[in-house]
Amino acid sequence: MMTRMMIRAAALTSLPLVAMLAGPAALAGTITDPIVERVSPDRLVVRWKDADAVDVLQADGADTAAGSATLVSAKDKDGVHEVQVRGTARPYFLLRDTRSGDVVRVAERVLPLEQGSNFRDVGGYAAAGGKHVRWGMIYRSGGQPMLTDADVQEVKGLRIANLVDLRSDEERVIAPTRLDGIPYNAVGYSMAGILASMAQGAKGGPTDPAKAMEGMANGYRAFSTLSAVSTNGTDLRL
């Protein structure tokens, strides 16, 4: 099933799939491999690598400045810090290298919904020029028909302004979204039509696998610009 993408930015940039490879030891003044994992319903563990001590700060918002965040661990040297949270609270963490002063933001990637389908924040991924995707701006999810009422309220609390649905016409009928009240845009295509076209092409003989993969990749890249919506607030694409 085609996944859905939820976006809080005015425009969407295609994100490359990056293979995570084991790298060299952490350099002084450099924080690497930050991650937040939920180890129990009310406990999160923050992990990172750095040759220097790190200050761990906690904030409710993705854009909270370090000066406004709460210091929860000072000069931490072991690369691990555990915090207790209330229910489905999903705080953001700012890791500040005590030598360089550089700050790295990180949060729990998958939202702790009751019946969500891989609903995740795509913030933190590396982008061009040494930059990173901002946390709390772009969300991607599977189908949403099983979201509970509590889940719906959690998602609406993200202040999503536009919902862009990348699923086929057939999938949208079978599993409609539960997120009412958010501007909605669908790409619009028939999976049955695509399959019929593929079957018709197969009658002409074997298909070049490389060309088939290239065609599929180009189709997925096109999803990032189809039915684009720009506003002064947040955008949502499924």
Side-chain angles (χ1 to χ4, degrees):
M1 177 180 290
M2 289 289 181
T3 55
R4 302 175 171 208
M5 183 170 290
M6 274 140 279
I7 301 167
R8 289 194 55 206
L12 171 65
T13 301
S14 297
L15 302 176
L17 180 63
V18 180
M20 303 304 292
L21 303 178
L27 300 176
T30 303
I31 298 173
T32 61
D33 300 335
I35 188 172
V36 178
E37 298 175 305
R38 188 170 294 260
V39 294
S40 70
D42 64 346
R43 301 198 73 82
L44 299 175
V45 171
V46 188
R47 293 187 174 89
W48 68 92
K49 294 179 182 178
D50 195 344
D52 301 315
V54 168
D55 291 332
V56 182
L57 301 99
Q58 182 174 328
D60 293 330
D63 297 326
T64 301
S68 300
T70 301
L71 180 65
V72 294
S73 181
K75 299 181 179 180
D76 198 320
K77 295 183 178 181
D78 64 3
V80 179
H81 182 71
E82 186 170 326
V83 298
Q84 186 169 7
V85 294
R86 292 187 301 172
T88 58
R90 180 177 167 268
Y92 292 87
F93 295 93
L94 290 73
L95 306 177
R96 181 173 58 200
D97 186 286
T98 56
R99 177 189 298 231
S100 67
D102 290 343
V103 174
V104 173
R105 298 173 185 271
V106 65
E108 185 179 11
R109 185 158 306 282
V110 178
L111 275 65
L113 302 176
E114 294 176 351
Q115 293 185 177
S117 176
N118 198 18
F119 197 116
R120 61 199 186 277
D121 189 330
V122 301
Y125 287 121
K131 297 181 180 181
H132 292 78
V133 179
R134 289 173 61 186
W135 286 93
M137 296 296 291
I138 305 175
Y139 297 89
R140 187 176 179 89
S141 172
Q144 301 160 6
M146 299 301 292
L147 291 180
T148 66
D149 291 342
D151 289 340
V152 170
Q153 293 306 309
E154 285 285 336
V155 174
K156 288 187 175 181
L158 299 174
R159 296 178 297 167
I160 292 172
N162 288 282
L163 181 63
V164 180
D165 200 328
L166 301 181
R167 299 176 303 160
S168 68
D169 300 338
E170 295 87 349
E171 290 172 309
R172 295 199 311 273
V173 171
I174 294 172
T177 179
R178 288 206 63 205
L179 301 178
D180 299 327
I182 299 175
Y184 177 87
N185 301 272
V187 172
Y189 64 94
S190 171
M191 182 58 70
I194 292 176
L195 294 176
S197 178
M198 292 173 63
Q200 183 64 32
K203 294 180 180 180
T207 301
D208 184 339
K211 291 183 178 180
M213 289 297 293
E214 181 181 1
M216 182 174 293
N218 290 335
Y220 275 104
R221 292 190 188 101
F223 281 143
S224 65
T225 54
L226 288 171
S227 299
V229 177
S230 294
T231 68
N232 292 326
T234 58
D235 293 348
L236 174 60
R237 306 183 185 188
L238 298 181

